[in-house]
Amino acid sequence: MSHHYSGPNFGFPRADARLDLTDLYAFPKPGDVKKSILIMNVHPSSTVIDPELTISEPFSPDGLYEIKIDTNGDAVADIAYRVRFSSLPGAMQIATVRRVEGALAAETDDGGEVVFLGAPVSIGRDAQVAEVGDYRFFAGWRSEAFFFDTLGAIDDLHFTGADFFSDKNVCSIVLEVPNSTLGPKPVGLWARTLDKQGKGWVQVERGARPQQAVFLPGEQKEAYLAGEPADDARFVATFAHALEHTGGYQPDEAERVARTLLPDIMPYDPRRPASFPENGRTLTDDAADAFMAILTNGKLAGDGVGAHSDLLAEFPYLGPPHDAPE
């Protein structure tokens, strides 16, 4: 279930579906080695225990959506793309995208150099795409790209090959960026959502590697979601305990594996093909199978579910939302 339903009892963090971080993807732009595609998905279209539609407004006007980029390997952001949304009459929204670098990228605020101002948010099947210079941007409802037998996972990992997400939607933030804006070396990526509280911001959720935020932090989940990658060493023991319990690892091996999962950062080199978990993540990478193999110490190779067939060959790459108006 990736980062989906990372709140209490498979619900939403802070009981707000719009702030539920689901997935992060990063891959070179097909046909253009000088650009990369960064995708941050949030807001699942339904709950998991009682499948019902969540709120129709794609993004929270009180939320801040960030993609963080570490350029020197210290697990601290050196570049950040920040997206805020405004609500307009008629259930419409517009987006403002800012870029910030240097020490400010690691701080918690919504400032930065404006890249897109007043970009439209899509609610129907047609993708409204904004372009400025070498950047392209999309935000809005799309077909869910993540594939996983969620109900089998809840049933003590008894998988049946039924893809819970095959008919679900998600709200996507898609950025096409020049590789030059990421720096000259391989980088580390993660995403986070924040909620406006008074004059400040509270981090709601963060992550890069799918599923571990749901399965491994245990009673430390709230602290984990509110934490920073640079401090993730404090969760090694918690992750190791979960791996011992679920996968039957010996203590030393469980600790070693836990350290490979932390800090929760996705490595990405835009000069190499993307393939999870070694380098970025494409929309067809079976991240769920990769994690299940780790979680179960190789006892389960996967859930029997494969990639979706409605992906697009061009920007924004995610298929049109299900049951959306034209």
Side-chain angles (χ1 to χ4, degrees):
M1 58 192 74
S2 199
H3 264 252
H4 300 72
Y5 320 118
S6 50
N9 299 316
F10 298 107
F12 302 118
R14 302 180 74 88
D16 191 338
R18 299 167 301 177
L19 297 175
D20 190 328
L21 169 66
T22 67
D23 286 286
L24 176 67
Y25 302 89
F27 51 90
K29 178 184 178 180
D32 189 346
V33 298
K34 295 182 179 181
K35 293 185 177 181
S36 288
I37 306 300
L38 308 179
I39 300 177
M40 176 183 181
N41 283 348
V42 300
H43 190 175
S45 64
S46 74
T47 60
V48 60
I49 302 300
D50 180 20
E52 60 183 20
L53 292 179
T54 55
I55 185 171
S56 59
E57 183 179 54
F59 305 96
S60 171
D62 295 321
L64 178 63
Y65 302 81
E66 280 193 304
I67 296 177
K68 297 281 201 177
I69 303 166
D70 169 26
T71 64
N72 59 12
D74 64 356
V76 176
D78 304 291
I79 301 170
Y81 286 97
R82 297 169 170 164
V83 188
R84 288 207 65 186
F85 296 90
S86 300
S87 293
L88 301 177
M92 299 296 294
Q93 286 188 309
I94 56 173
T96 299
V97 182
R98 290 180 169 88
R99 182 181 185 276
V100 60
E101 61 180 310
L104 295 177
E107 297 184 0
T108 299
D109 63 54
D110 60 350
E113 179 183 358
V114 174
V115 182
F116 291 93
L117 183 63
V121 172
S122 298
I123 58 174
R125 292 181 59 83
D126 292 336
Q128 300 184 72
V129 177
E131 296 188 40
V132 172
D134 290 330
Y135 284 95
R136 301 178 87 187
F137 172 76
F138 167 86
W141 284 106
R142 298 312 278 170
S143 172
E144 172 67 86
F146 183 64
F147 47 98
F148 186 54
D149 181 0
T150 296
L151 300 184
I154 294 174
D155 186 22
D156 199 25
L157 302 183
H158 292 143
F159 295 120
T160 64
D163 185 1
F164 178 81
F165 297 99
S166 62
D167 60 351
K168 303 299 191 295
N169 295 325
V170 72
C171 290
S172 299
I173 297 170
V174 187
L175 270 169
E176 179 182 300
V177 304
N179 290 336
S180 59
T181 66
L182 304 178
K185 300 178 181 179
V187 298
L189 306 173
W190 69 98
R192 68 173 184 169
T193 60
L194 302 99
D195 191 26
K196 188 73 170 178
Q197 297 289 305
K199 295 183 179 180
W201 296 94
V202 174
Q203 182 170 298
V204 176
E205 187 169 6
R206 55 94 182 197
R209 298 177 60 98
Q211 296 194 297
Q212 62 188 41
V214 177
F215 287 96
L216 295 180
E219 295 180 354
Q220 294 292 312
K221 180 183 289 186
E222 186 173 342
Y224 179 77
L225 295 179
E228 296 283 350
D231 300 323
D232 275 351
R234 62 184 172 136
F235 299 110
V236 167
T238 300
F239 274 37
H241 177 75
L243 291 169
E244 287 183 56
H245 175 75
T246 304
Y249 287 89
Q250 293 300 309
D252 289 350
E253 181 66 3
E255 180 177 337
R256 184 195 68 79
V257 173
R259 291 187 183 280
T260 69
L261 301 176
L262 298 169
D264 189 358
I265 293 177
M266 179 187 296
Y268 178 58
D269 183 349
R271 294 172 293 273
R272 296 171 46 217
S275 179
F276 182 85
E278 289 81 12
N279 189 51
R281 180 184 174 192
T282 74
L283 295 169
T284 58
D285 284 338
D286 201 331
D289 278 6
F291 180 75
M292 284 299 116
I294 293 173
L295 181 68
T296 66
N297 198 8
K299 297 180 180 67
L300 289 177
D303 62 347
V305 176
H308 295 169
S309 60
D310 60 353
L311 300 172
L312 305 180
E314 58 186 19
F315 195 90
Y317 303 101
L318 298 134
H322 301 277
D323 303 321
E326 296 292 341

